[in-house]
Amino acid sequence: MLIAGNWKMNTDLPDGTALAENIAAGIDDADVDFSAVDFAVCPPSVHLQALNEALDGSPVALGAQDVHAEEEGAFTSDVSASMLTSVGCTHVILGHSERRQYYDETDADVNAKAHQAHAHKLVPIICVGEMLDQRKAGDATSVVQAQLEGALEGLSVDSADELVIAYEPVWAIGTGESATPAQAQDMHAVIRDDLADRYGADVAAGIPIVYGGSMKPWNAEELLSEDDVDGGLIGSASLEAESFLGIAEEAVGVLEGAAG
Ligand code: 13P
């Protein structure tokens, strides 16, 4: 189970550092055994270096929210893959719907960035998800399949730890209205099938397919209980250590239930 926080453009450096420290301390001090949970936080890029230090020795992986597809050069404001790895990043979110919506990022862009991430041994967390009108028109599945087709073209994945897919229905992001567990499971199963066709059933079975969109401590259990929901990519509830770890506690409960 992967519990990842996408902080988006939130927190200044002191607040972000405190949040990371609180998360690390919360994992350390908890009565709950979090060892079966993989954690990641994806703060704003200006925080990465400080958080690499703040999270040193903790089980929390560090991720960025985007990367440029080129190695280096005249791309004002952009951040390269080697910059990210040099400050301790192991993951990078790609193709978030906010990048697609506000910066016209295309599947081809996401694909180029995914190749670049892999070239630098960064695990891409590739976001897919339909808009509300697409769901209402009955097109949700084909939209997500097309996004996968575009984003994963030519990307070789030999083991399950080289890729994460985040299903984030756009209508559920920041709205307080998450997908139902059944809606999430249905789409995650579609994604799993797609990955199995590309990478084989064994690899696909282990690739984390996480859900994002208004995941909170109170709805996490039912979402995470679904067979193909392997964790969460959490926005606003990741901005407080208590709610972020509250979701992780639900993940532990689900894992223990499944094992027991
Ligand atoms: P919220 O959890 O705030 O809905 O955001 C989800 C998201 O976009 C994570 O990438």
Side-chain angles (χ1 to χ4, degrees), residues 130-140 171 177:
E130 80 286 356
M131 318 267 281
L132 186 58
D133 56 341
Q134 294 169 324
R135 176 162 283 270
K136 284 187 173 157
D139 295 336
W171 46 271
E177 184 200 348

Side-chain angles (χ1 to χ4, degrees), residues 4-8 93 96-98 127 166 168-170 172-178 211-216 232-239 247:
N6 175 8
W7 295 5
K8 309 190 180 182
I93 296 172
H96 192 279
S97 64
E98 287 146 18
C127 301
E168 301 207 316
V170 180
I173 296 176
T175 59
E177 184 200 348
S178 76
Y211 168 81
S214 300
M215 186 182 270
K216 312 287 180 192
L233 182 56
I234 299 138
S236 60
S238 73
L239 296 173
I247 292 172

Side-chain angles (χ1 to χ4, degrees), residues 9-10 17 47 50 72 124 140 144 191 203 210 219 223 229 245 255 260:
M9 195 176 73
N10 292 294
T17 307
H47 298 7
E72 61 185 3
V144 167
I191 295 168
V203 171
V210 301
N219 64 14
L223 287 160
V229 179
L245 294 178
L255 289 168

